[in-house]
Amino acid sequence: MKIAGLASNRGRNLRHIADAAPGGAELSVVLTNREGAPVLEAAAERRIPTEVVVRDEEEARGSHERRILDRLSAYDFDLVCLDGYMRVLTDEFLDAVPPTLNVHPSLLPAFPGMDAHEQVLDAGVRTTGCTVHVVTEAVDDGPIVTQEPVPVYGDDDAAALKDRVRNEAEFTAYPRAIRWFAEGSAEVVEGDEGPEAVRIDGDTGGAFPARRLVSEDRAGSLRYGENPHQDAALYADPACEEASVVGADQLNPGAKVMGYNNYNDADAALGLAKEFADPAAAVIKHTNPAGCATADALADAYDRALRTDAKSAFGGIVALNRPCDADTAEAIAESFKEVVVAPGYTDSALDVLRETGNLRVLDVGPLGDGEDRFSERLVEKSIVGGRLVQERDRQSPTTATLEVVTEREPTDEQVETMLFAWKTLKHVKSNGILFATGTETVGVGMGQVSRVDAVTLAAMKAEKDADGKSAEGAVMASDAFFPFPDAIEEAADAGIEAVIQPGGSVNDEDVIDAADDCGMAMAFTGTRCFRHD
């Protein structure tokens, strides 16, 4: 896609488009109607040919445009892009060139004209933005290609608003529109009286729409980010209906307020506790499970979770999937914790927890039932220059979906443990290995760059840090396939008797043979559960 750019002054959008090359588009020429316009130097720096066609005094508009068309005839271009080109173009010109686009600094049809920012401020609106539209002879009119909103803040003046609209809206919307045309997904629909619409292929909704607009409100400033030298704030999605730590009430107002790391860890802990229907407790450190368990009584679940690795749990986060009772509260208060998260507390539990100084006590309200606990379908992660968005990992294998691949069949108890271990493992950073017995963790190996090292770490944690637990006779869960038999042999040395893993390695047969040689039972899930963030 070749572009002819027309500008009267600096041509900031044209410069940005030249640098971004959206959809591979490039400027074949930059033309200005003003001698010495700064856009000429900017184009020359980018080795873009330039033309200057000044309108003479007394010259008719049509005559000037014909001279422009004559200059442009020497260049190939598929699109004309205006950027602060301070002339109204005639139908004669527009009929002679390919589709012509312009960007206006408001959300048209509101606030047309040259003083859009002043109009926005005078009107007191809270959202403005920009509009990329097809140019017609009417001023600030023509079919809309795309728009980009930006907020208006109470302390804005016209200059601040102008900078934000340009940098946050125009620099986003104009390249997007050009990319659509370059990729062939945008087409101007002509009517009897000129352009009447723009058709955009694939501009649909669904889980992953062509465009996403995210609106969140600042819920508060945080003391600092991950480290004291980093500023931070918390933003809330007011439309979220799922129980979350963002909307949780802090029931001990005398304690420190929540910090960045507190929110991050508490969110991870609550996500794990939601996995289970039976009373469950999760203990989290640096977003990884230090221990997790289910039991008939909440206090027992917490005790079993804590005894997986009480050393690492020091200063950690506790999440419960039942209202916290006094017995559980007393157990939590026995060692230092940063945050406890639960869907409610008894009065006696609060009496205990409020005596522990800076323990933050969060009430997230009812968790809901079944899939209601995970009503937020998507999760996302910000990266430099964009955002990764994916479906939440809500899959969990069942007894019926497991594929036993070894000579030895797992017992019913081992299958129950496999399913518990898999739900917990989904919340362990990859490479992740988890040892479990019954419905409680025994050892966790997380965040290793080698899968066999993750097995070694889980075995070491089970041997050194688990209180009253052992890897002997335990089940091992792996979040991805085993590339080699060495991890199976390492697990057998630790006492593992059954394994749940995705399968799918080119060396599956060797891994299965190793499990058979070690007398292990092994089941494939057919899906992995990586967690990288």
Side-chain angles (χ1 to χ4, degrees):
M1 163 90 42
K2 303 290 186 181
I3 298 171
L6 275 61
S8 296
N9 193 21
R10 297 184 180 277
R12 288 188 178 93
N13 278 296
L14 293 181
R15 286 151 48 188
H16 182 69
I17 290 165
D19 295 339
E26 58 185 40
L27 284 156
S28 59
V29 60
V30 169
L31 183 144
T32 182
N33 58 353
R34 177 184 160 207
E35 291 282 3
V39 71
L40 295 171
E41 182 179 353
E45 290 174 352
R46 292 163 175 79
R47 298 184 178 181
I48 301 170
T50 59
E51 298 286 348
V52 181
V53 183
V54 179
R55 183 178 177 183
D56 297 333
E57 291 186 27
E58 310 300 329
E59 184 180 15
R61 187 168 54 150
S63 171
H64 181 234
E65 289 181 350
R66 284 189 288 274
R67 290 198 294 122
I68 291 175
L69 290 171
D70 183 60
R71 292 287 188 91
L72 292 178
S73 66
Y75 301 92
D76 292 328
F77 56 95
D78 312 290
L79 198 67
V80 177
C81 290
L82 309 186
D83 182 18
Y85 186 71
M86 308 305 290
R87 288 290 182 270
V88 177
L89 298 173
T90 65
D91 285 340
E92 180 184 356
F93 178 92
L94 295 172
D95 290 343
V97 296
T100 300
L101 305 184
N102 191 27
V103 61
H104 180 75
S106 80
L107 299 176
L108 292 173
F111 313 123
M114 297 179 60
D115 59 345
H117 304 305
E118 289 80 0
Q119 293 181 62
V120 164
L121 294 173
D122 290 343
V125 299
R126 288 294 171 228
T127 302
T128 185
C130 76
T131 301
V132 180
H133 63 96
V134 177
V135 176
T136 64
E137 191 167 16
V139 177
D140 296 334
D141 198 2
I144 290 174
V145 182
T146 188
Q147 294 180 305
E148 188 69 21
V150 297
V152 181
Y153 300 128
D155 59 352
D156 274 335
D157 57 19
L161 197 57
K162 178 180 179 180
D163 285 343
R164 189 179 315 113
V165 169
R166 181 177 62 239
N167 295 326
E168 298 181 17
E170 294 180 14
F171 284 4
T172 298
Y174 218 163
R176 178 196 301 134
I178 292 169
R179 175 171 54 82
W180 286 345
F181 278 95
E183 294 174 350
S185 59
E187 179 184 2
V188 177
V189 179
E190 295 287 345
D192 294 337
E193 299 181 2
E196 63 178 21
V198 176
R199 182 169 56 244
I200 310 295
D201 294 338
D203 189 17
T204 59
F208 301 102
R211 291 184 60 212
R212 296 176 70 238
L213 297 178
V214 178
S215 178
E216 296 172 339
D217 300 328
R218 190 178 66 194
S221 297
L222 304 178
R223 289 181 298 148
Y224 51 80
E226 285 184 291
N227 301 290
H229 63 275
Q230 296 171 267
D231 292 336
L234 174 68
Y235 285 81
D237 176 4
C240 177
E241 296 181 353
E242 182 176 329
S244 75
V245 297
V246 173
D249 293 327
Q250 187 167 330
L251 302 184
N252 53 340
K256 293 182 195 176
V257 297
M258 293 280 287
Y260 183 99
N261 293 330
N262 299 138
Y263 275 111
N264 199 28
D265 290 342
D267 175 69
L270 181 60
L272 175 52
K274 287 177 181 177
E275 290 280 357
F276 304 100
D278 293 331
V283 182
I284 295 289
K285 192 68 174 290
H286 298 167
T287 71
N288 270 302
C292 182
T294 68
D296 292 336
L298 193 63
D300 289 341
Y302 172 72
D303 177 67
R304 295 175 187 181
L306 181 67
R307 287 192 295 106
T308 303
D309 190 358
K311 177 179 69 175
S312 295
F314 183 84
I317 311 290
V318 176
L320 312 170
N321 71 347
R322 293 286 194 282
C324 182
D325 54 37
D327 289 343
T328 308
E330 288 173 359
I332 293 171
E334 286 179 358
S335 63
F336 172 60
K337 299 292 185 297
E338 291 274 4
V339 182
V340 59
V341 184
Y345 299 82
T346 65
D347 291 341
S348 54
L350 286 176
D351 289 341
V352 173
L353 296 174
R354 283 169 174 164
E355 292 178 357
T356 57
N358 277 323
L359 175 67
R360 290 87 156 178
V361 179
L362 300 186
D363 183 352
V364 298
L367 300 186
D369 297 319
E371 290 300 305
D372 290 343
R373 293 189 174 191
F374 301 99
S375 60
E376 291 293 296
R377 182 181 176 188
L378 304 178
V379 292
E380 57 189 75
K381 174 182 173 60
S382 177
I383 59 175
V384 174
R387 189 172 295 270
L388 298 171
V389 182
Q390 66 173 343
E391 289 185 328
R392 200 168 180 175
D393 186 2
R394 297 190 291 185
Q395 62 84 29
S396 290
T398 65
T399 302
T401 61
L402 289 179
E403 178 191 4
V404 177
V405 294
T406 49
E407 295 172 359
R408 177 179 168 184
E409 291 272 344
T411 66
D412 291 344
E413 291 77 9
Q414 286 173 333
V415 169
E416 180 186 21
T417 301
M418 287 178 176
L419 301 181
F420 162 82
W422 191 265
K423 286 183 177 181
T424 305
L425 184 63
K426 289 196 299 180
H427 300 264
V428 175
K429 297 300 191 304
S430 189
N431 285 328
I433 293 289
L434 187 139
F435 292 178
T437 57
T439 56
E440 61 184 279
T441 50
V442 171
V444 185
M446 73 286 284
Q448 302 303 298
V449 293
S450 163
R451 190 153 300 278
V452 69
D453 287 347
V455 175
T456 302
L457 177 57
M460 182 271 288
K461 299 295 287 184
E463 179 181 354
K464 292 182 58 178
D465 295 323
D467 179 13
K469 303 185 183 190
S470 172
E472 195 68 38
V475 168
M476 175 173 71
S478 173
D479 64 357
F481 62 65
F482 293 102
F484 305 106
D486 52 359
I488 300 299
E489 295 159 357
E490 181 88 1
D493 290 342
I496 294 296
E497 293 186 359
V499 178
I500 179 173
Q501 61 129 324
S505 169
V506 295
N507 293 323
D508 271 350
E509 290 302 320
D510 293 339
V511 172
I512 294 169
D513 288 344
D516 284 334
D517 291 342
C518 296
M520 288 182 181
M522 181 182 289
F524 284 0
T525 65
T527 57
R528 71 186 188 196
C529 60
F530 270 161
R531 188 180 184 95
H532 283 175
D533 59 357

